[in-house]
DNA sequence: TCCGGATATTAGACAAAGTCCAGATTGCCG
DNA sequence: CGGCAATCTGGACTTTGTCTAATATCCGGA
């Protein structure tokens, strides 16, 4: 996979390719997530987008992140009871969570094997498997 | 493992064995969790404990659940962004989460193998590995 | 028994994350 | 330009959880 530049223009294309109407606010929010390639909470996204002067309302940030989620542009990572993180990396991967610092990083799923899971009932489909390794700094 | 009765008297013993002073409120909260053997949120615990007449304050419910957590009597399950579940089953196991209904059930860890996780940095220790299988009812 | 300190509990104010709504803006198409 | 649909907005609201200062309970010793 070639390294690409996450310019605002490219964001517009990315949004369109996911069937999302690329408005100014949506482009800024996508840019915040993708240019950093980091896990961000809604709060953090709002702070980034509104650094210079307030441009985007809280409601829009939440609506947009939910929209991105539905359209498969980002993933939701639930590791901290107090806030949800949004992950611009949608390729299969797991997470490493440092409980004291709150730092969250990716674990490539490529070499991780999970076996022995019991079969699901017929009327159920797997939506996703989340593997979270919680670590702590040694005393 | 023999089936046991989760009487309030047995709860007192259980608390003592975990180095917890068995007060009336703590016994009631432990009883709510262990007699049901279910995943309960703080809200649900409070509702159960206060069914007949209000007996236990919100602060005490939260304090007590946090205490149980520290003492290793229960586990915390973070699957729903809006609330934390407390799990009286502390033996190694994973979770199955039905996203539409919010129903949460256990997956015994005995036959599940997870391999290929990358090594941790030297100064880190694993606190726990959470595996959550998210399922949805077929359309 | 009574006292004193340590431990627990409480009500209610507070904080943070997220939702909701009704009105204002924007952008597009004829 | 006029109108419609989609989007955005401020702000009120809800929910989950925390904090604090005051009160209650428990227990050991004199």
């Amino acid at each position: 996979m070639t390294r690409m530049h996450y310019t605002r223009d490219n964001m517009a294309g990315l949004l369109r390719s996911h069937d999302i109407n690329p408005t100014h606010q949506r482009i800024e929010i996508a840019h915040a997530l993708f240019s950093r390639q980091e896990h961000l909470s809604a709060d953090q996204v709002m702070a980034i987008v509104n650094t210079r002067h307030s441009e985007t309302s809280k409601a829009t940030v939440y609506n947009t992140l939910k929209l991105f989620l539905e359209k498969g542009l980002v993933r939701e990572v639930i590791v901290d009871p107090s806030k949800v993180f949004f992950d611009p990396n949608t390729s299969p991967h797991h997470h490493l969570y440092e409980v004291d610092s709150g730092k969250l990083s990716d674990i490539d799923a490529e070499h991780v094997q999970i076996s022995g899971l019991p079969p699901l009932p017929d009327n159920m489909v797997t939506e996703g498997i989340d593997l979270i390794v919680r670590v702590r700094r040694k005393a």
Side-chain angles (χ1 to χ4, degrees), chain A:
Chain A
M1 186 176 289
T2 63
R3 189 125 192 83
M4 83 168 285
H5 278 151
Y6 292 101
T7 64
R8 284 170 177 75
D9 274 8
N10 289 343
M11 288 302 101
L14 179 64
L15 294 180
R16 271 191 217 94
S17 75
H18 279 78
D19 200 24
I20 297 169
N21 195 355
T23 65
H24 174 61
Q25 288 89 339
R26 289 169 181 177
I27 288 171
E28 285 306 312
I29 291 171
H31 184 74
L33 280 160
F34 286 91
S35 69
R36 279 173 189 71
Q37 288 285 81
E38 269 176 27
H39 308 85
L40 299 178
S41 66
D43 255 30
Q44 290 174 306
V45 169
M46 188 147 77
I48 291 168
V49 165
N50 291 334
T51 28
R52 306 206 157 282
H53 26 74
S54 182
E55 288 165 357
T56 306
S57 71
K58 186 168 60 149
T60 297
V61 170
Y62 278 97
N63 289 342
T64 301
L65 289 171
K66 194 188 282 183
L67 179 68
F68 286 3
L69 200 57
E70 282 163 12
K71 299 294 190 178
L73 194 61
V74 301
R75 253 171 71 172
E76 206 178 22
V77 186
I78 304 170
V79 295
D80 180 322
S82 74
K83 65 181 78 170
V84 171
F85 287 98
F86 294 88
D87 187 346
N89 177 359
T90 54
S91 71
H93 67 281
H94 306 298
H95 289 104
L96 185 80
Y97 185 60
E98 291 182 32
V99 287
D100 13 51
S101 70
K103 198 159 149 287
L104 184 62
S105 49
D106 286 352
I107 298 175
D108 198 316
E110 202 180 350
H111 302 103
V112 179
Q113 292 271 343
I114 300 171
S115 61
L117 285 175
L120 293 184
D122 277 358
N123 55 338
M124 294 283 165
V125 274
T126 300
E127 181 152 298
I129 295 183
D130 293 0
L131 178 63
I132 297 158
V133 180
R134 278 166 214 279
V135 301
R136 196 165 24 85
R137 199 166 291 277
K138 231 179 238 173

